[in-house]
Amino acid sequence: MRPERELLKGSTPTLILAVLENEPRHGYAIAREIERRSESTLSLGEGSLYPQLHALEKAGLIAGAWEMPPGGGPSRKVYTLTATGHSELVHRTRSWRDFVSAIEGVLKNGGEPDVQPI
């Protein structure tokens, strides 16, 4: 089952920050890592990934620098999580977990209040 497009769209910045938490990556590697970690459930195309990278960079949450790959080839922009980006990731992770917990509570109870018999 594929997630709703809007849910993925709204979560893309958080996913990018999470993937950059441990190491810098270029755009294609970011997309592949999201796909790998989600066991191919989530897939980002260039049309959704690169505008988000630019927005995160403009907001100061990530920093990009052009690098030459070790084996040669064309240069590529590699993104690194900034200190501000790390703080934002912590905040977004907490918010996401609270949200998921609330949704699970609703689903678990079938939308019915947990009423104890008298």
Side-chain angles (χ1 to χ4, degrees), residues 38-118:
S38 71
E39 298 178 347
S40 298
T41 300
L42 306 175
S43 179
L44 297 176
E46 289 181 19
S48 57
L49 176 65
Y50 287 99
Q52 292 292 335
L53 288 171
H54 295 302
L56 290 169
E57 189 173 18
K58 185 176 181 180
L61 302 178
I62 62 174
W66 289 98
E67 294 183 0
M68 294 294 294
S75 62
R76 56 190 180 191
K77 197 167 191 180
V78 175
Y79 298 92
T80 305
L81 191 65
T82 64
T84 304
H86 185 269
S87 296
E88 180 67 14
L89 176 59
V90 169
H91 170 73
R92 287 174 181 238
T93 300
R94 280 192 200 120
S95 295
W96 179 255
R97 289 188 174 136
D98 290 345
F99 178 74
V100 168
S101 178
I103 296 295
E104 286 177 344
V106 172
L107 295 175
K108 176 178 71 176
N109 292 317
E112 298 292 323
D114 191 19
V115 179
Q116 300 296 322
I118 298 176

Side-chain angles (χ1 to χ4, degrees), residues 4-39:
E4 295 295 325
R5 273 178 113 53
E6 291 303 310
L7 185 57
L8 177 58
K9 183 178 175 183
S11 303
T12 300
T14 304
L15 299 174
I16 292 169
L17 295 175
V19 164
L20 292 175
E21 182 176 25
N22 296 320
E23 67 180 271
R25 297 175 194 270
H26 57 85
Y28 181 79
I30 292 168
R32 294 300 67 82
E33 184 63 11
I34 290 170
E35 192 173 310
R36 185 191 72 76
R37 290 186 190 184
S38 71
E39 298 178 347

